[in-house]
Amino acid sequence: SQKIEQNSEALNIQEGKTATLTCNYTNYSPAYLQWYRQDPGRGPVFLLLIRENEKEKRKERLKVTFDTTLKQSLFHITASQPADSATYLCALDERNTGFQKLVFGTGTRLLVSP
Amino acid sequence: EPEVTQTPSHQVTQMGQEVILRCVPISNHLYFYWYRQILGQKVEFLVSFYNNEISEKSEIFDDQFSVERPDGSNFTLKIRSTKLEDSAMYFCASSEEGQPNQPQHFGDGTRLSIL
């Protein structure tokens, strides 16, 4: 069956450290993978999109990698701050053409302590 | 920065009643979506809409659900006869284009509580 898995346990780290979150997928062959941030009671906010032929994508303190052989994406936040505390969702499109239909992982909650 | 707005933020309805959730997508976006998130679970796709037609819908989006773009700015989700299991956060999203390489922009949702 098709699955997108993220670590369901919260990730607790100290301010200033690098947070690394994992997204694994099974029985999908996405051409693109997206990462979103979700705060309690709010909608997902788009962060980064990476294509299958891009090994790595960066935006300020954020970095995403995409390994289609391992069927895995890693999401890194460097120099983390308490304001980075949120749930981070990975998402992919079920199909690579036609109209978009995003499938989300369950998300990983990140807690950054001062 | 333009944003997707949803009203109401919280809707409480008796089981069996009809409910309409409203969304104003970003003005130059052409593709619209509804998702739902049951408490503690993942965000699930319901339906996508383009050019005044449904382009894709999930198994959740049965005959009790319908969507409409009644004018140039609003996009609505109607649930005809609500059930207890319809209780969830409902998110509207929009995108400039519909291809998989496009980010979606989400509203902050309507919390629907069915009593």
Side-chain angles (χ1 to χ4, degrees), chain A residues 36 38 42-43 95 99-100, chain B residues 31 37 98-99 102 104 108:
Chain A
Y36 289 78
Q38 187 175 27
R42 308 292 297 272
R95 295 81 41 88
F99 294 108
Q100 196 177 82
Chain B
Y31 297 81
Q37 187 174 31
Q99 285 72 37
Q102 294 294 308
Q104 292 187 13
D108 278 336

Side-chain angles (χ1 to χ4, degrees), chain B:
Chain B
E1 186 173 322
E3 56 181 29
V4 175
T5 55
Q6 291 185 244
T7 54
S9 55
H10 191 188
Q11 174 80 47
V12 182
T13 303
Q14 290 287 331
M15 187 172 61
Q17 295 297 304
E18 175 182 286
V19 68
I20 297 177
L21 310 183
R22 301 179 194 280
C23 169
V24 179
I26 294 173
S27 60
N28 65 332
H29 286 187
L30 301 176
Y31 297 81
F32 314 117
Y33 314 86
W34 283 100
Y35 292 82
R36 79 169 186 192
Q37 187 174 31
I38 294 170
L39 188 64
Q41 297 187 25
K42 60 175 75 175
V43 176
E44 299 175 287
F45 172 85
L46 291 178
V47 66
S48 58
F49 190 86
Y50 168 71
N51 200 26
N52 279 321
E53 287 184 346
I54 289 175
S55 45
E56 182 85 29
K57 59 184 181 179
S58 72
E59 296 160 358
I60 303 166
F61 194 90
D62 62 22
D63 291 344
Q64 294 301 308
F65 290 86
S66 62
V67 289
E68 196 178 29
R69 189 150 161 84
D71 53 45
S73 58
N74 290 285
F75 179 50
T76 62
L77 174 70
K78 184 196 292 188
I79 309 176
R80 251 178 284 282
S81 178
T82 49
K83 307 193 251 303
L84 292 175
E85 55 264 37
D86 293 328
S87 296
M89 281 289 282
Y90 287 80
F91 293 109
C92 172
S94 67
S95 63
E96 209 167 332
E97 297 173 19
Q99 285 72 37
N101 63 346
Q102 294 294 308
Q104 292 187 13
H105 299 261
F106 286 76
D108 278 336
T110 293
R111 178 172 299 284
L112 179 62
S113 300
I114 307 300
L115 304 179

